[in-house]
Amino acid sequence: MSVITVTRQISERALNILRKDHEVHIWEEDRPMPRMNLLRAVAESEGLLCMLTDKIDEALLDSAPKLRAVSQLAVGFDNVDLAACTARKIPVGHTPGVLSEAVADLTFALILATARRVIEGARYVRSGLWGTWSPGLLLGHDVYGSKLGIIGLGRIGQAVARRAAGFNMKIMYHGGRDSDAARALNAEPRSMEALLRESDFVSLHVPLTPATQHLIGARELEMMKATAVLINTARGPLIDQKALYEALKEQKIFAAALDVTDPEPIHVDEPILQLDNCVIVPHIGSASVRTREAMGILAAKNLVAALNGEPMLHTANQEVYL
Ligand code: DGY
């Protein structure tokens, strides 16, 4: 029986997988585990089931001499120092696949909300401004038949492309390894610049790494059409948020929608929150009941496998097994 720390409340079904053979300690509060509590907890733990709000770095690993496995409840793992885990022979699990459709659903919700000014419209009605029907009221842009540029045609990018087909969108992509999948989706490859210049909607689906930090800055925003919309359901630091604010304020692009910000949470005084052409939601891409349960179960299975000395179902640092 190993001691496992779980840094947030997850589904009972997931917890039961862990409890079957292990002693499980859960941080019950609805906020990230304070760093000191986390360091104290991992000192005695062999397994850690963590969230993207937990920093898994050298300092944490140094205070966790018994730690044998880390399992993250997310597909992204930019909060985890992978090299440091690998150096200690600690496999790091993550949860790809089970959340792709939910994140693609939210991406499409944001595409539609920004293009057709849904949030602005709801605010307009609530504030009593709706006097009469008007032919020029809250005009947006068509989604049907438009051009979608997907940056990162991985699992989530492909799920977005499948939805786009139903809207008769022309699909272009930059980045992504599976050209068979791209062909099956009728997605055409583009250079980054061509994609930015041609697309009506640009949607980001790449992981955050040093190479992708500020992938979209002032220069890239300049290349986009004045009628274009930028969507980010991946990681906040992919976009230079100050440059985005300027571009939206100057109406260099039509709108943006962010499920992720830099930092998270975004400070309530940030001027970008005041813009009508920017929709920001609180990192809820995978936040459906069914998906979060599936993520919990997969994260639990990853951890149990590693503690049993077996390979995880999905390991972020596959090289740990070499
Ligand atoms: C992830 O899985 O990386 C998302 O950002 C949270 O669902």
Side-chain angles (χ1 to χ4, degrees):
M1 179 174 279
S2 305
V3 173
I4 293 175
T5 293
V6 181
T7 66
R8 294 297 277 279
Q9 190 59 252
I10 58 173
S11 83
E12 271 309 300
R13 277 183 67 197
L15 288 173
N16 287 339
I17 293 171
L18 300 174
R19 285 183 182 129
K20 192 162 170 281
D21 292 313
H22 303 288
E23 182 183 324
V24 180
H25 300 233
I26 309 160
W27 174 253
E28 308 264 2
E29 293 184 33
D30 192 19
R31 60 177 178 129
M33 207 169 173
R35 180 76 173 174
M36 282 316 294
N37 298 52
L38 180 57
L39 293 181
R40 236 175 279 134
V42 293
E44 295 305 321
S45 303
E46 283 165 74
L48 175 63
L49 197 153
C50 60
M51 313 289 138
L52 52 85
T53 42
D54 303 313
K55 201 165 180 51
I56 312 302
D57 55 7
E58 290 269 10
L60 180 136
L61 297 172
D62 284 345
S63 46
K66 302 179 185 168
L67 196 63
R68 293 195 286 124
V70 170
S71 178
Q72 161 113 328
L73 184 112
V75 62
F77 43 79
D78 45 280
N79 56 309
V80 180
D81 184 338
L82 224 51
C85 291
T86 307
R88 290 165 167 81
K89 296 260 175 256
I90 296 175
V92 177
H94 68 140
T95 62
V98 293
L99 50 78
S100 304
E101 303 301 336
V103 177
D105 281 351
L106 188 84
T107 303
F108 243 82
L110 294 178
I111 288 175
L112 290 163
T114 41
R116 298 303 305 276
R117 305 174 68 174
V118 174
I119 312 292
E120 259 184 283
R123 217 181 287 136
Y124 182 84
V125 173
R126 274 199 181 194
S127 48
L129 292 169
W130 188 18
T132 179
W133 183 87
S134 165
L137 179 64
L138 287 168
L139 300 186
H141 293 286
D142 290 328
V143 175
Y144 189 85
S146 64
K147 295 179 184 167
L148 172 66
I150 296 177
I151 300 184
L153 194 67
R155 290 185 187 84
I156 298 173
Q158 289 172 27
V160 171
R162 284 196 296 277
R163 284 156 180 74
F167 282 76
N168 196 29
M169 292 169 100
K170 173 172 174 166
I171 303 163
M172 297 166 292
Y173 74 100
H174 178 77
R177 278 158 294 171
D178 189 349
S179 48
D180 285 345
R183 262 191 299 279
L185 289 162
N186 258 332
E188 299 176 11
R190 289 285 186 279
S191 69
M192 180 78 166
E193 178 163 350
L195 179 138
L196 292 170
R197 291 197 187 281
E198 274 183 63
S199 299
D200 299 308
F201 298 89
V202 173
S203 193
L204 305 181
H205 301 287
V206 288
L208 175 63
T209 66
T212 59
Q213 172 126 12
H214 287 192
L215 184 70
I216 303 293
R219 191 174 148 268
E220 289 72 25
L221 290 160
E222 274 304 331
M223 292 173 188
M224 291 175 65
K225 296 179 186 177
T227 51
V229 173
L230 177 64
I231 309 287
N232 188 6
T233 54
R235 284 293 182 269
L238 296 177
I239 298 179
D240 175 348
Q241 218 163 267
K242 285 202 169 40
L244 178 62
Y245 168 70
E246 293 301 330
L248 289 168
K249 190 168 61 108
E250 306 293 327
Q251 296 182 346
K252 288 187 175 161
I253 64 171
F254 180 68
L258 312 176
D259 179 41
V260 287
T261 58
D262 181 19
E264 283 185 14
I266 189 168
H267 195 276
V268 69
D269 292 333
E270 276 293 320
I272 199 168
L273 290 174
Q274 300 308 319
L275 298 178
D276 281 335
N277 57 350
C278 189
V279 171
I280 301 187
V281 292
H283 203 151
I284 52 171
S286 62
S288 76
V289 174
R290 194 171 64 186
T291 297
R292 282 289 158 81
E293 170 139 314
M295 290 166 70
I297 289 171
L298 179 50
K301 286 184 175 169
N302 277 337
L303 193 55
V304 167
L307 293 174
N308 288 342
E310 294 157 14
M312 288 176 163
L313 283 84
H314 292 282
T315 320
N317 56 344
Q318 198 62 41
E319 61 279 13
V320 80
Y321 297 122
L322 298 178

